[in-house]
Amino acid sequence: MTEHSADRPEGTPPEDITAEGTSHGGRQDNGRGAAQETPVPRAPGRGTPHDDGAQVSTGSDTAGTPGAPETAIPELVIISGMSGAGRSTAAKCLEDLGWFVVDNLPPALIPTMVELGARSQGNVARIAVVVDVRGRRFFDNLRESLADLEARHVTRRIVFLESSDEALVRRFESVRRPHPLQGDGRIVDGIAAERELLRELRGDADLVIDTSSLNVHELRAKMDAQFAGEEEPELRATVMSFGFKYGLPVDADLVVDMRFLPNPHWVPELRPFTGLNEEVAAYVFNQPGAKEFLDRYAELLRLVAAGYRREGKRYVTIAVGCTGGKHRSVAMSEKLAARLAAEGVETVVVHRDMGRE
């Protein structure tokens, strides 16, 4: 993924090992404005709730008054390394695995971020922080922050992204941007200065990944191997009903057409209702081919989902269309989302055009 433009000052190139850019710090909304969303029930998340107002402490300490439950100190990963070596891709991978990711946080604020995570009642159990030369005026504070974390018995790991000079030069030249430390010199001068600045941190790293010959998928696979544990990387799906007369969804990965089924719009007693109505849904699924379509398409999605996971794709939008996006597509979207949720896919239903008529 690219370095985020909101955090990137002039002169800093995007990472070479790229995927589509996104903001860190947990999942964001899908940006579909007024579209109606129906969350599909899912298994409870990780982490055990704890009382608010707790201080960061060791596992044997308690927060506040005697008898208060122990606070959960978040697990911490610090991502650093050479500019252009893939820091943003590594951060995005951890975000997809459920980590709370903060990009370009000044090192002096890392202990504060851990403390806030400990006060989150278990909602922020794992924090990843990207530290790089964009915050070079704060970089001298990193050693002090690491010592502070060690004194607090915070479990932390340092991931360092490395790459050869030749690969980094090629990446910077491909995006036609200067190295953030080259000043009036050449790209190789900036790379040399950064290596010297990061030398001590590289020596302290728990994991060093050389990305010289890696593409984005290979880097993600290495991160998954280190941090996913035995769990299979999670796939998140958005099932979106829509009306063809309002246009195709621009963000759809897969599109299916329900107009092969009879339209409840032409049944006077069903016309005022939507596909969320039980009678409308029953009418749709009593039509020839409806149940067969649901069964076979759900089976196809099972195959596709497995391939997406292997290729490192974590998000998929499935658009289900009918004429107006009110009856057939809504009913099918609800059933399809329920099938995906039963397969362990985190699923959200969005009815884009319901209510527009």
Side-chain angles (χ1 to χ4, degrees):
M1 66 183 284
T2 60
E3 301 278 37
H4 312 308
S5 59
D7 296 327
R8 183 173 66 247
E10 185 66 24
T12 303
E15 300 282 8
D16 177 71
I17 300 180
T18 59
E20 216 176 312
T22 187
S23 58
H24 291 314
R27 290 264 55 84
Q28 307 297 320
D29 63 36
N30 57 23
R32 296 189 181 95
Q36 302 182 42
E37 298 190 7
T38 306
V40 175
R42 50 178 298 195
R46 302 181 183 86
T48 303
H50 299 276
D51 285 351
D52 198 9
Q55 301 295 318
V56 175
S57 60
T58 65
S60 60
D61 294 336
T62 57
T65 59
E70 296 181 357
T71 60
I73 302 176
E75 183 180 356
L76 175 66
V77 166
I78 298 173
I79 300 173
S80 191
M82 301 297 294
S83 298
R87 292 185 308 253
S88 290
T89 297
K92 179 64 168 67
C93 182
L94 290 184
E95 185 185 25
D96 289 344
L97 292 174
W99 291 68
F100 187 91
V101 180
V102 184
D103 196 3
N104 199 23
L105 183 72
L109 296 181
I110 294 176
T112 302
M113 178 60 63
V114 173
E115 183 174 352
L116 291 174
R119 295 178 177 179
S120 69
Q121 302 183 13
N123 292 319
V124 181
R126 299 180 295 176
I127 298 174
V129 176
V130 181
V131 177
D132 54 55
V133 294
R134 288 179 294 166
R136 53 190 177 274
R137 63 183 180 275
F138 304 105
F139 206 81
D140 292 339
N141 296 326
L142 180 58
R143 180 61 55 193
E144 181 180 344
S145 294
L146 292 177
D148 187 6
L149 294 171
E150 185 175 355
R152 297 174 185 229
H153 304 284
V154 175
T155 300
R156 58 95 175 145
R157 284 178 285 178
I158 298 175
V159 177
F160 192 94
L161 281 300
E162 175 66 277
S163 194
S164 68
D165 286 2
E166 293 78 8
L168 293 176
V169 169
R170 184 173 64 251
R171 293 168 187 175
F172 277 98
E173 289 182 341
S174 69
V175 295
R176 299 181 180 181
R177 298 292 298 275
H179 188 282
L181 295 186
Q182 76 179 73
D184 295 330
R186 301 176 299 162
I187 291 176
V188 291
D189 297 327
I191 293 173
E194 187 176 33
R195 283 199 192 281
E196 184 60 31
L197 179 65
L198 297 177
R199 187 180 304 278
E200 187 175 355
L201 181 62
R202 188 189 189 284
D204 291 339
D206 300 284
L207 174 64
V208 177
I209 301 178
D210 187 344
T211 67
S212 301
S213 59
L214 300 182
N215 61 35
V216 61
H217 304 296
E218 292 166 336
L219 175 55
R220 291 184 65 101
K222 285 183 176 290
M223 292 295 294
D224 281 344
Q226 291 292 328
F227 294 98
E230 297 180 357
E231 299 178 5
E232 187 176 12
E234 189 176 6
L235 179 67
R236 299 179 177 92
T238 297
V239 180
M240 178 191 301
S241 69
F242 73 97
F244 278 96
K245 70 179 181 180
Y246 300 114
L248 289 170
V250 297
D251 55 346
D253 297 296
L254 303 169
V255 178
V256 291
D257 186 356
M258 294 297 101
R259 291 177 296 183
F260 72 93
L261 298 173
N263 192 347
H265 174 81
W266 303 114
V267 180
E269 59 269 26
L270 298 180
R271 182 179 302 173
F273 302 105
T274 72
L276 298 177
N277 177 271
E278 291 183 4
E279 293 183 0
V280 173
Y283 175 86
V284 170
F285 284 98
N286 283 332
Q287 302 304 317
K291 293 178 181 178
E292 291 82 358
F293 173 85
L294 177 62
D295 291 339
R296 295 184 185 182
Y297 195 65
E299 183 177 355
L300 175 63
L301 288 179
R302 189 180 303 117
L303 177 66
V304 171
Y308 279 162
R309 290 188 178 101
R310 287 193 299 270
E311 291 300 310
K313 184 176 176 63
R314 299 288 179 262
Y315 306 95
V316 59
T317 296
I318 304 161
V320 182
C322 63
T323 302
K326 179 180 179 180
H327 296 113
R328 294 164 291 181
S329 62
V330 171
M332 186 62 70
S333 293
E334 291 288 332
K335 292 288 188 181
L336 190 58
R339 291 286 185 96
L340 290 172
E343 295 287 336
V345 177
E346 182 180 344
T347 309
V348 171
V349 182
V350 178
H351 299 304
R352 191 192 74 175
D353 299 323
M354 192 171 67
R356 291 186 65 173
E357 75 285 346

